[in-house]
Each structure stands twice: as C-alpha cells, then as structure tokens.
Amino acid sequence: MPLSKTLLLTIVLAPLFGAVVAGLFRRQVGRAGAAAITIAGVALSCALSFYVLYQLVWGGAPVFNQNLYTWFEVGRISANVGFMVDRLTAMMMVVVTFVSLMVHIYTIGYMAEDDGFQRFFSYIALFTFSMLMLVMSNNFLQLFFGWEAVGLVSYLLIGFWFKRPSAIFANMKAFLVNRVGDFGFLLGIAGVLYWFGSLDYAQVFQATLGGPILTKTVEIFAGHPWSVATIVCICLFIGAMGKSAQVPLHVWLPDSMEGPTPISALIHAATMVTAGIFMVARMSPLFELSETALSFVLVIGATTALFTGLIGIVQNDIKRVVAYSTLSQLGYMTVALGVSAYAGGVYHLMTHAFFKALLFLGAGSVIVAMHHEQDMRYMGGLRKYMPITWITMWLGSLALAGAPGFAGFFSKDAIIEAVGESHRWGAGYAYFCVMAGVFVTALYSFRLLYMTFHGKERFVVDAHHGHGHDDHGDHGHHEPGHLAHAPHESPWVITLPLVLLAIPSVLIGWFTIGPMLFDGWFRAAIRVAEHNDVLKELGHEFHGAGAMVLHGFTQAPFWIAFAGFAVATYIWLLNPGIADKAKNALRPLYNVLANKYWVDELYQAVFARGGVALGRGLWKGGDAGVIDGLVVNGSAAVVARVSATVRWLQSGYLYHYAFAMILGLIALLGGVYWIAHAAP
C-alpha cells in the first residue's frame, strides 16, 4: 500500500503544532499543557514514523516522491515543497522522533524549576519539525530551509539562558561558524542549479548516470581545470563541515554546552550535527563522481576523529567530555562517507544517536543530583546514590568504546574495516587516525565513569553552604564540592528515558548490522560505484552478528580499546594520584590539549579582532575619512570657500562697484591700446 500525503504531512506538522501552541498560547495552556501538547505531537510523529518504516520494509510500500506545493516557477526552474521517503529517510525519521521523544519526556524532570519551561518545550518541538523537513525533503531548496531552520533553533536553544554572557557568546559563535559552512553549502546548491538545471533530487541524480555533466570542467585558476562534480561536492561538504562540526569548523560544538542538558542531547545525538552526515549520504550519486571530493571528506573526517577526541581526555566538565566525544564520533561517520561506505556512516549515525543521547541525559541526571555542579573533580562515589544512572551510563560508555556486542561495536568496527579495505588517497592516514581514536575513546569514556561514579567522594554535604534548590540558569549558588543535601537518584521522568535509550544502545546492532551494511537494505537511496564498494568486499567475510562479535575479540580494535580501558582503570580508579603526576610530566602536551590547539584563540585574533579592526579601518578611513571627509564635507567646504570669496566681491556698496567699473574700464582701454601698438 503506498504511503499517503496526509500521513507524511501529519508526521511533519504534529511537532510544529505543538511548538506553536506551547510557544504562543503559554498563558492559556499553562506549564502542564505545554509539556503535554508538545510530547503528544512528537509521540504521534514517532509512532507514524515507525509505521512508515514498517510499510517500506515489510509492507511492500513503494518509495514516496511527490511535490505537495509549488512555491514558485521561473522559466523552467521550479521550487517545490515535497517529500522523498525511502528507507534512508524512514530510518532518519525514526531516529529523530524517538530520541526527540525521550528528550521531551526527560525535560519535564530536568527543567521542572526553570522559568522558561514552556519556551523550552516550544523550541525543542520546533527543532524536531525542522529536522523532519530536512530529512524528508525531495529537493535542494527545502533541504536548505530545514538546514537553516535547525541552525536558527539551535541558536535559540544554546542561548536559552540569555542572561548569562557565556550563553550569548556561545550561541553567537555557533551561528557565525555555521554561516561560514552555509556559504559553501549555498554555493554548492547554486552550482547544482547552474550545471544540472534543476533542484529536484531525482532529476539531479538521474543526470549523474550519464551525459555531459560527467566530463564538464571549469577553470577556477587558469590552466587548472576542475571537474564540475568536484566543485559542487566540496562546496556541499563545506556546509556539512559547519553543521556536523568537522575541523576546522568544529569550534562551536563544545561551546554549545551552554544550553540546558536536554538540548545537548538533541543537538548532538539525533538532529543538527547528523544533518551533514545524512546530506552527504543522500548525495552519494553526486559524490561518487569525484575522487578528489571523497579524499577531501576522508582526510577532514580522520583529522576530526583523532584530534578532537584527544581534547576530551583533559576536560573536567562532564558535558564537555561527551561533547568532544561527539566531535570524534562525527569524524568516524565522515571517514566512512569518504571511503564510499555511506551505509556504514549512516549506520554509525543511527547507533550513535541512541548511546550518545543516553550519555548526555545521564550526564544531566548527574548534574541535577549534584545541584548543577558539572566539574567531575568534585564528584566520585556516586554509584551508590544513583544506581540507575550509573548502570545506564556504563552501558552507554561500553557502546561508545565499541565493546563487542554493543551497538557501537558493530558500526565502529565496520567503519575501521572499510577504511582498511579502501585504496583511496588518504586512506592510510585515515586508518591510523581511526585506530588511534579507538584508544582515545576508551580512555576518556572510562575516565568519565571512574571520576563520576567510582573512587572516594570528592564532595561535602554541608547544609550551611546550600540555598535550597538551585536555579538552572546560574551555577553560582554554592562553593565547588559543597552540596546542600546528599545526591539521590533522579525521578522517573529522567530515569525512564535513560532505560529506554540503554536498550537499543546494547541490542540494536545484533538485528541491523547484516541488512543495513551488507544486504543492500538502503537499496537505491544510496548509490556506490562498483569499484568503490568497500562494504561489498567486507560482506564476503560477514557470517552473521554472532560470528562478528566472536571475531571482534581477536581483532586489533578490541585490544586497543582494552588498552585504553586498562590505562583509564589504573590511572583514575586504582591509583588516582598518578593523574596529576602525569599531567606535570607531560605539561607541554597537556597545555596543547587544554588550550584546544589554540584554534579558538587564532579565530578570535584573526577573524573576530581582524574583522573588528577591518570594520573600524573602513569606518574611520573610508566612511569618516574619504566619504564624509573628502566627498561629502569636502565638496561642502569647496562651496563654502568659493562663496566666501564671491561674498567679498559682492559688498553692496555703490563706490565699490564704481571703483570696480573704473578699474575694468582702464584695463579694457589698456588692453585695446596694447593690441593696437603690439600689432606689426
């Protein structure tokens, strides 16, 4: 049975309806009403997304690709609002709506005492609508609408506590860095329209199968022809570098921790940062035309996977450790795209969404219990106070570290194997980065667990230092490490989403690895050239999930991860004093990582201060000096001088005029006399 327009419209519009009601009718619906209506909208969207996935996979429904509304037509170019729902889209819809639903439920508990409760629900429902518009679009213009909409809502959410200067700085940083990426993205879309003559996915992808576009080149620099496909793909990927926080446009993501914890989970797990990965996978027919673009993707992803993960090792803020982990895992997804293992990249996106949302929400649960203390140096020994959070965080961390049998193991190992199989330029460098990244991931994951839940308690329960409950918007109510009362397990609205996210974090890989990676589950949604198909090569060696898990225990990634686990256990559990000694011994390296390679300072000095200096120079020199001083005021000054001179001649006295007439008459007679006598 084919999918209906009404069904798909309901999926998209239900969260939007909830967002509008919660945001614009706050007085009428109240706090409970705002939560109820947004959760109902997202829950309906989630249920129908599961139904769509079921229909496409088991119900025999064909791929849906229709325009619902024509926005404008200019000549042969038309812009439409339409949906393209295939298996790739359906999988993204399920992931986005399910994680969003968990975040919505969790938010009831986390934001219970916050003044912006209804505003927050309105924003996160709007976020869900924006992401659904992005993944369901069937053309580049609607994709760009969704792309910008998630950017806008993330700006509102990162700066949600707008009275804190750090939050305003962070959301402006996210907004500006994403504008850089979006400039490239817009150029890519313009290139698609210019060279392919259409913004519709189906028409553009059809054109990649043959025709003049395959051999068309452009000379950006004289004597150096570039393939059109390379230019378009690199421009599109620059958009993905901004949205999916790849080096060097990664600097906004850790700062986005300034928003409330639920939004960290939503931005980092299921929505905004995965948009770039989804977009490149969706554009696989285009990217397969350019080896150069894919090598570019590969090298950027590999650099991100290793070097941002290293920063996570030295972070003390529990949310920032998870944020740098997100950067690193996005690098893994990008590496998969770069070796043409698009299914592997999207598969890691799916498994990562569950365990990363779990880790963020678990971190939020800890933060609530610790009265909004986020520094892990003031935690420790929390497992006896928070057993559910402790167990679910362990499960999420094991999935993240790629422990055999957990969701992250299947997707991460498949990516590492695919990179090892690839012969693309940059694959050797990428293989080193993803292998080293395995050790780094295990190291910061278990460091976080040990510093938070194990060892001796590094906080003091001291009623004199507390001021009742803490306001979410301000961390300054207590001295570090002093709590008003003992930490305790979070309420069920916080722990239930943790449990529901832990289940797929552990189990989902077992059912999905074979079909999604090796059995062509995505069908025509992802297109890979025969000579690039590394996953097909790996498929010959795949003998089921169980065999892969058993084989995993003998493979290098497992032992590298185990080494990371062992080092973390020795340093942060068995011998905590060593950490400070190591820090002092490796001070230069520690400083490099603690200062995040000074990339922020570089951008601050070159782009921020440079931009201000350039603006001031143009204002003082160009506007005030040339335009105002020379052109506007200068011309006025000339007129003033001329008129002053003329005014002196026009005195109004009769004898002045008589004197001037006599002088003129003498000069005239003298001239006539000179001419008469000078003539031969």
Side-chain angles (χ1 to χ4, degrees), residues 15-34:
L16 179 63
F17 176 75
V20 169
V21 172
L24 299 184
F25 301 98
R26 275 186 275 187
R27 287 209 183 122
Q28 291 87 333
V29 296
R31 287 165 77 94

Side-chain angles (χ1 to χ4, degrees), residues 594-615:
N595 288 296
K596 301 167 286 196
Y597 311 112
W598 291 281
V599 174
D600 284 282
E601 285 77 2
L602 176 71
Y603 287 175
Q604 202 70 27
V606 175
F607 296 112
R609 290 200 194 97
V612 169
L614 178 65

Side-chain angles (χ1 to χ4, degrees), residues 299-641:
V299 170
I300 293 285
T303 306
T304 307
L306 177 58
F307 290 96
T308 58
L310 286 167
I311 303 174
I313 299 171
V314 301
Q315 295 295 315
N316 293 314
D317 182 318
I318 188 168
K319 279 169 68 176
R320 280 182 183 261
V321 177
V322 189
Y324 280 105
S325 151
T326 301
L327 280 172
S328 180
Q329 296 307 306
L330 286 165
Y332 275 88
M333 296 174 210
T334 307
V335 164
L337 302 172
V339 293
S340 297
Y342 304 99
V346 177
Y347 183 59
H348 193 48
L349 183 163
M350 187 259 302
T351 59
H352 173 261
F354 297 117
F355 60 76
K356 189 48 59 74
L358 166 60
L359 287 171
F360 266 117
L361 298 184
S365 176
V366 170
I367 291 166
V368 169
M370 294 294 295
H371 309 285
H372 297 274
E373 176 62 68
Q374 294 182 201
D375 194 323
M376 296 188 296
R377 289 172 297 186
Y378 301 114
M379 295 180 189
L382 286 176
R383 66 178 178 167
K384 66 181 182 197
Y385 300 104
M386 313 181 71
I388 300 173
T389 304
W390 170 59
I391 292 166
T392 51
M393 285 280 278
W394 258 97
L395 294 174
S397 296
L398 286 166
L400 171 62
F406 287 77
F409 160 77
F410 293 106
S411 52
K412 195 187 230 176
D413 270 37
I415 290 172
I416 292 170
E417 294 287 322
V419 176
E421 198 72 37
S422 175
H423 302 294
R424 179 158 291 134
W425 186 90
Y429 167 72
Y431 191 66
F432 167 76
C433 286
V434 293
M435 276 299 210
V438 170
F439 176 82
V440 172
T441 303
L443 195 62
Y444 62 62
S445 299
F446 294 109
R447 173 180 178 262
L448 182 147
L449 288 171
Y450 293 142
M451 285 183 76
T452 307
F453 295 105
H454 297 263
K456 66 177 197 295
E457 296 172 11
R458 294 184 297 280
F459 54 87
V460 180
V461 178
D462 181 358
H464 299 301
H465 283 86
H467 290 252
H469 68 73
D470 295 286
D471 172 24
H472 286 243
D474 183 12
H475 295 198
H477 282 259
H478 53 266
E479 289 178 33
H482 287 267
L483 305 184
H485 41 77
H488 56 83
E489 186 58 273
S490 301
W492 71 267
V493 286
I494 286 180
T495 54
L496 176 68
L498 295 182
V499 174
L500 291 177
L501 285 164
I503 294 165
S505 298
V506 177
L507 298 176
I508 199 161
W510 291 87
F511 313 111
T512 51
I513 176 82
M516 289 177 82
L517 286 195
F518 307 118
D519 298 345
W521 190 85
F522 289 106
R523 298 193 175 163
I526 287 173
R527 192 192 302 161
V528 185
E530 190 67 36
H531 59 280
N532 286 341
D533 202 344
V534 287
L535 288 178
K536 189 176 178 184
E537 294 298 313
L538 294 182
H540 299 318
E541 301 161 22
F542 178 74
H543 305 295
M548 183 174 174
V549 170
L550 289 173
H551 186 59
F553 283 107
T554 66
Q555 293 298 291
F558 168 72
W559 291 105
I560 293 171
F562 186 78
F565 165 72
V567 170
T569 305
Y570 180 70
I571 295 178
W572 287 286
L573 183 65
L574 304 178
N575 203 339
I578 266 189
D580 287 333
K581 289 178 189 164
K583 185 163 99 175
N584 292 328
L586 302 169
R587 179 64 66 181
L589 179 62
Y590 175 82
N591 286 341
V592 169
L593 296 176
N595 288 296
K596 301 167 286 196
Y597 311 112
W598 291 281
V599 174
D600 284 282
E601 285 77 2
L602 176 71
Y603 287 175
Q604 202 70 27
V606 175
F607 296 112
R609 290 200 194 97
V612 169
L614 178 65
R616 187 171 282 123
L618 291 172
W619 161 49
K620 290 264 175 74
D623 193 27
V626 177
I627 296 172
D628 276 358
L630 207 59
V631 180
V632 178
N633 295 343
S635 56
V638 169
V639 171
R641 284 199 194 93

Side-chain angles (χ1 to χ4, degrees), residues 147 178 239-247 249-250 252-253 272-278 304 326-327 330-331 334:
W147 196 265
N178 272 284
M241 284 165 66
K243 201 64 79 197
S244 292
Q246 297 298 291
V247 172
L249 300 181
H250 65 288
W252 67 271
L253 195 75
M272 182 162 159
V273 294
T274 55
I277 309 298
F278 164 78
T304 307
T326 301
L327 280 172
L330 286 165
T334 307

